[in-house]
Amino acid sequence: MGSMVGIKDVARQAGVSVGTVSNVINRPDLVSEETRTRVQSVIARLGYIRSESARQLRAGASRIVALLVLDMGNPFFVDVASGAERAARKAGLGVMVCNSAQSTSEEVEYLSLFAEQRVRGVLVTPADPTGRSLDALRRQGIPFVLVDRVSADPEVCSVSVDDVVGGRLAAQHLIAAGHRSIVYVGGPPELPQVRDRRAGALAALAEAGLPPQALTEVSADRLDVPAGRDAGARLLGLAPRPTAVFCANDLLALGVLQAVFAARVAVPDDMAIVGYDDIEFAAAAAVPLTSVRQPAAAMGRLAAEMLMDETGGRGADGDSGGHQHRQVVLQPELVVRGSSLGAR
């Protein structure tokens, strides 16, 4: 394989200085038409491609925004990434999407990589509940925005959804349908979203005059379909068998639905199921899934816009200018479908 063609090769072949080649690429109006045509012909013949990383190093500003999510296998995060990508592209920036796979160690490695690459900024849904993994960005002065997570630091922007409200909506719906006890299929307890959705369900039970014991928790170590199937098998062994199940996300709910179907339990007549996120597959399930909808694409778009607002005004001293840090909390909504409409 031949060596990469550089700007010096173009200059030598065209019989001009490196500065002239640079002007042809970046400021063509400064170069005569004859010289510009000759240089462009050499560029095309040699297949020269400008080094964007070198250009960014000289300019001191990257055109790449990094997005680190918990699970790219979850369509919710695909929608978040889509919203962020559209906003970034509109501003002439690219988005590098990475997946921590809910692993703190992988998160640390990616954040260190982003710092080494001097990305313009980072959008991140932290896997580390302590937030210590973000220190690599702080040390390098790289701005970041938390996505699907509320920031406790007023100097950090965040975009999230009120998951307590979401959990309350799900439980209120099941209580209104006549259920007096609910199983909550939760995920890793260190995730604040899992805890907040449970807290919302407990609040709805209390408002209805029901004791906390009316909520039984079946835990899952991951927020995916196989974990949901495992949880579904376990909740089917509960006595008495539950008539209502609220899952911390739709992937868990789809796994529970598969386990329940395999056991020939009728949904929703024998067991009502409610998920969370309202991913595309929720409406397409064998029994369309009732779910608490999060505005995922809007979350990604807002986070990217916040990050671009902060980085757009940053000076050489790291000052973010007039940028005001904000913690935006969006509201969820309940989408009712067939999985919870059985009469009690």
Side-chain angles (χ1 to χ4, degrees):
M1 182 179 293
S3 60
M4 183 176 294
V5 175
I7 192 170
K8 291 181 180 179
D9 300 311
V10 174
R12 184 170 55 253
Q13 290 285 325
V16 298
S17 69
V18 169
T20 297
V21 177
S22 178
N23 283 338
V24 168
I25 295 170
N26 299 300
R27 294 178 292 177
D29 55 303
L30 299 181
V31 185
S32 70
E33 183 178 354
E34 178 185 353
T35 301
R36 188 168 65 243
T37 300
R38 184 167 76 253
V39 171
Q40 289 171 339
S41 175
V42 173
I43 287 174
R45 176 163 54 83
L46 296 181
Y48 169 70
I49 299 175
R50 177 175 63 177
S51 172
E52 182 65 17
S53 60
R55 187 198 71 78
Q56 290 172 4
L57 184 62
R58 290 191 297 272
S62 171
R63 294 177 57 214
I64 299 298
V65 171
L67 170 62
L68 182 61
V69 300
L70 289 177
D71 181 11
M72 278 306 293
N74 186 338
F76 166 75
F77 287 111
V78 175
D79 290 342
V80 169
S82 177
E85 193 271 343
R86 284 197 298 271
R89 292 294 296 167
K90 188 176 180 180
L93 304 175
V95 178
M96 174 172 58
V97 182
C98 299
N99 177 27
S100 71
Q102 302 178 41
S103 165
T104 299
S105 61
E106 290 192 34
E107 176 175 272
V108 169
E109 290 178 8
Y110 273 124
L111 293 177
S112 296
L113 175 64
F114 298 158
E116 291 171 7
Q117 296 298 316
R118 295 295 195 275
V119 297
R120 189 182 192 92
V122 178
L123 307 172
V124 56
T125 304
D128 180 0
T130 69
R132 285 193 293 267
S133 60
L134 299 170
D135 289 345
L137 302 180
R138 292 188 175 96
R139 284 193 296 269
Q140 298 298 329
I142 297 175
F144 58 89
V145 175
L146 302 185
V147 184
D148 195 28
R149 189 70 52 84
V150 179
S151 174
D153 184 350
E155 296 303 311
V156 174
C157 285
S158 66
V159 184
S160 61
V161 168
D162 193 329
D163 285 315
V164 174
V165 169
R168 181 184 285 114
L169 288 173
Q172 284 175 338
H173 170 67
L174 292 170
I175 292 167
H179 300 280
R180 291 297 173 262
S181 64
I182 299 170
V183 168
Y184 176 57
V185 178
E190 64 271 15
L191 292 178
Q193 297 95 323
V194 172
R195 297 196 303 268
D196 287 350
R197 293 165 196 179
R198 178 179 180 275
L202 285 170
L205 290 169
E207 291 164 2
L210 297 171
Q213 294 78 12
L215 187 74
T216 301
E217 186 164 4
V218 173
S219 61
D221 58 357
R222 296 185 65 82
L223 294 166
D224 55 24
V225 173
R229 282 197 297 268
D230 175 70
R234 283 183 283 134
L235 69 85
L236 285 169
L238 296 176
R241 177 176 288 176
T243 62
V245 180
F246 168 42
C247 299
N249 78 350
D250 284 344
L251 296 183
L252 287 173
L254 291 172
V256 168
L257 187 61
Q258 290 177 7
V260 167
F261 262 34
R264 301 186 182 278
V265 174
V267 176
D269 293 338
D270 295 331
M271 186 179 296
I273 301 175
V274 175
Y276 203 106
D277 290 339
D278 195 33
I279 62 175
E280 182 179 357
F281 300 133
V287 177
L289 185 66
T290 293
S291 184
V292 178
R293 175 179 293 166
Q294 297 200 82
M299 196 182 305
R301 174 180 57 80
L302 283 169
E305 289 172 351
M306 283 182 179
L307 187 63
M308 289 182 290
D309 179 67
E310 181 173 1
T311 61
R314 293 180 76 87
D317 60 356
D319 182 12
S320 58
H323 175 74
Q324 296 293 318
H325 293 292
R326 294 186 295 151
Q327 292 77 42
V328 175
V329 180
L330 304 176
Q331 294 301 306
E333 62 176 308
L334 182 71
V335 181
V336 179
R337 300 191 181 96
S339 70
S340 64
L341 287 176
R344 298 301 304 158

